[in-house]
Every structure is written in C-alpha cells, then in structure tokens.
Amino acid sequence: MKRFETLDAEVLGASVDSTWSHKAYAEKMGIKYSLLADFNPRGAMADKYGVYLADKGITGRAVIIVNKHGKVAWVKNYDIPVVPDVTEVASALQQVKTVSA
C-alpha cells in the first residue's frame, strides 16, 4: 500500500458480494482499503468495465486504473486464481501518472 501511496494512487476493491460479505472478508484478510459492493443491481458497475461474467454471476479478476480525469488509463484482466503482479501494476501507475502530469 505504501508503494501505491507514493504513486498518488487510491486502491479500491470491488466485487458483486454484499457489504456484509466484504466486511467479513476484510477483517479475515486484514484489508485496510475500501471494498465496493457491486451488489444491486448485481454487476452493474463491473459490466460497464467489461468484467462482469453474467452467466456465472461473478466478476472476472482485473486491475483497472482510472486517471485523475476519470478516464480508464490501463486495464489488465487476470485468470481467477492469478494474483495481480504488484510490480506490473506499480509500473502502469507510474506511466499513467507521468502521462497525466
């Protein structure tokens, strides 16, 4: 998290799970950043970003960087069991920060 803070980034998580589910998950995993519930209507936000899997009722795993102007600047989709590479995401953030400056 400190690395992302140095890149002037705010980390948010989102899924189609409820706020109560997010609360329990955050407590169990020690997550300190905000988790957004895309719960009702289910997957509405994820669908706008192209990561809602309607046939399964879940979202795919993705990292989406939105620049300070509210525009999607970088997207990377990952297979469900794959954990995003923090170094890759930090590099993408640095590039977005440089372009947006």
Side-chain angles (χ1 to χ4, degrees), residues 65-101:
I65 298 174
V66 178
N67 69 19
K68 288 186 176 200
H69 307 290
K71 303 291 183 192
V72 173
W74 188 82
V75 177
K76 173 94 185 240
N77 289 295
Y78 298 86
D79 289 331
I80 296 292
V82 176
V83 175
D85 180 349
V86 174
T87 302
E88 177 184 40
V89 175
S91 176
L93 277 166
Q94 184 60 54
Q95 290 174 357
V96 168
K97 184 177 179 181
T98 301
V99 170
S100 296

Side-chain angles (χ1 to χ4, degrees), residues 16-17 42-43 51-60 79-81:
V16 296
D17 297 321
R42 188 173 190 85
V51 296
Y52 184 58
L53 307 173
D55 58 326
K56 296 178 182 174
I58 62 170
T59 57
D79 289 331
I80 296 292

